């Protein structure tokens, strides 16, 4: 077991967890008390979903996407002792620049990810390129989850999905991202970009294309939670979208990328890991969406908790084991 230990993950003996139900024949299973965050989670906030959670001290913190009563999304900070019951601040995060001055407000902030790199936590999200109502990837850093220092946007519009790797690779920061359009984007592949300093992003490479393994991922794909380092490669859980006559359906897929050269795809599961089927996934503001944005992983056991947005309305949890997901992805790979 030790050589399979998920590298770079902490021990989390108290992370949210439920054993796989008897007779369950899939690698992921849902938390029996889903959803963990319901409608109207804070005054003026209608829905919390597609949100990011990390261990912090002996508890958990999160950056939550909350769509307000004008349907514009903002980012809110939250704390939890157990990773399930959340206290989310009513006031949205207000970013400052590197001199501590307030940043101009974007029209929207959504789909955050949080990653610890060394002693610093970085937040990435879909951010308005100010003055254009067009999406790019916002980047901020925090040392204490009180002050959030916003850095340069990573890209020109249009890009709506930015996910950092949890360490530098060959001396560079690496971010998965998905160039898009300004609408609901009926296309999308996964790229990666590199930066020496978290400011200048380049060396862009294609990683995975949509439409590879079946209709379930035929329309578009995009990175989900921060990649997990394993002895078999970076485990990337991603969202995968089919476009049918009634709209999009968002499922979760898995792939493995080379540890030192993550543009190299090693394996890619040819079926979804989880697809909307529960009422809280099929019914809501946007039906049929399971959108993963964060994981907690216990290095000792490989237990994995996946936080995902359900129907753009709720926050839900699914469980699995990293070793089993890696083995399943290799065994069912179509690469
Ligand atoms: C995507 C993003 C997500 C959302 C999904 C389904 O393009 O906007 O935030 O969950 O659509 O509406």
């Amino acid at each position: 077991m030790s050589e399979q230990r998920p590298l770079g993950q902490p021990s989390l003996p108290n992370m949210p967890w439920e054993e796989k139900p008897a007779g369950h024949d899939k690698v992921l299973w849902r938390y029996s008390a889903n959803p963990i965050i319901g409608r109207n989670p804070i005054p003026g906030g209608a829905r919390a979903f597609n949100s990011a959670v990390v261990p912090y001290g002996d508890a958990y913190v999160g950056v939550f996407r909350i769509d307000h009563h004008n349907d514009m999304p903002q980012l809110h900070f939250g704390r939890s002792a157990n990773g399930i019951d959340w206290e989310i601040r009513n006031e949205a995060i207000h970013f400052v620049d590197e001199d501590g001055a307030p940043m101009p407000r974007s029209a929207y902030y959504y789909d955050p990810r949080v990653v610890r790199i060394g002693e610093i936590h970085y937040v990435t999200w879909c951010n308005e390129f100010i003055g254009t109502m067009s999406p790019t990837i916002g980047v901020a850093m925090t040392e204490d989850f009180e002050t959030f220092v916003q850095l340069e946007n990573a890209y020109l519009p249009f890009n709506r999905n930015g996910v950092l790797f949890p360490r530098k690779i060959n001396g560079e920061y690496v971010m998965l991202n998905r160039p898009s359009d300004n609408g609901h984007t009926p296309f999308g592949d996964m790229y990666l970009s590199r930066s020496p300093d978290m400011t200048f992003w380049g060396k862009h490479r294609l990683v995975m294309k949509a439409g590879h393994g079946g209709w379930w991922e035929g329309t578009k794909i995009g990175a989900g939670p921060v990649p997990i380092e394993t002895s078999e490669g970076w485990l990337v859980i991603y969202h995968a979208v089919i476009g049918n006559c009634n709209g999009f359906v968002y499922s979760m897929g898995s792939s493995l990328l080379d540890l030192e050269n993550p543009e190299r795809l090693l394996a890619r599961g040819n079926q979804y890991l989880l697809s909307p089927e529960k009422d809280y996934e099929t019914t809501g503001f946007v039906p049929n969406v399971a959108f993963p944005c964060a994981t907690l992983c216990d290095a000792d056991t490989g237990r994995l908790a996946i936080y995902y947005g359900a129907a753009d309305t709720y926050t839900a949890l699914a469980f699995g084991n990293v070793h089993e997901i890696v083995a399943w992805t290799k065994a069912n790979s179509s690469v």
Side-chain angles (χ1 to χ4, degrees), residues 211-234:
H212 180 82
W215 282 351
W216 66 280
E217 56 176 350
T219 298
K220 57 179 171 174
I221 56 171
V226 170
I228 297 169
E229 188 167 9
T230 78
S231 58
E232 307 302 301
W234 294 104

Side-chain angles (χ1 to χ4, degrees), residues 311-331:
D312 285 10
T313 303
Y314 310 103
T315 299
L317 265 177
F319 301 116
N321 186 288
V322 165
H323 308 307
E324 193 185 352
I325 299 167
V326 167
W328 181 92
T329 304
K330 290 174 74 172

Side-chain angles (χ1 to χ4, degrees), residues 25-47:
D25 62 356
K26 303 194 177 65
V27 285
L28 295 188
W29 57 99
R30 294 166 175 84
Y31 180 42
S32 60
N34 269 349
I36 61 168
I37 303 177
R39 284 183 187 265
N40 303 310
I42 57 168
R47 301 172 300 277

Side-chain angles (χ1 to χ4, degrees), residues 49-50 65 110-111 160 178 220 250 286 289 291 312:
F49 58 103
N50 299 8
R65 167 184 176 163
Y110 66 85
D111 296 359
R160 289 213 300 255
R178 189 187 65 200
K220 57 179 171 174
Y250 283 68
V286 180
V289 181
F291 195 97
D312 285 10

Side-chain angles (χ1 to χ4, degrees), residues 138-154:
V139 184
M141 52 183 276
T142 182
E143 294 182 58
D144 55 9
F145 287 99
E146 294 295 332
T147 302
F148 292 83
V149 177
Q150 189 171 341
L151 309 176
E152 293 287 333
N153 289 324

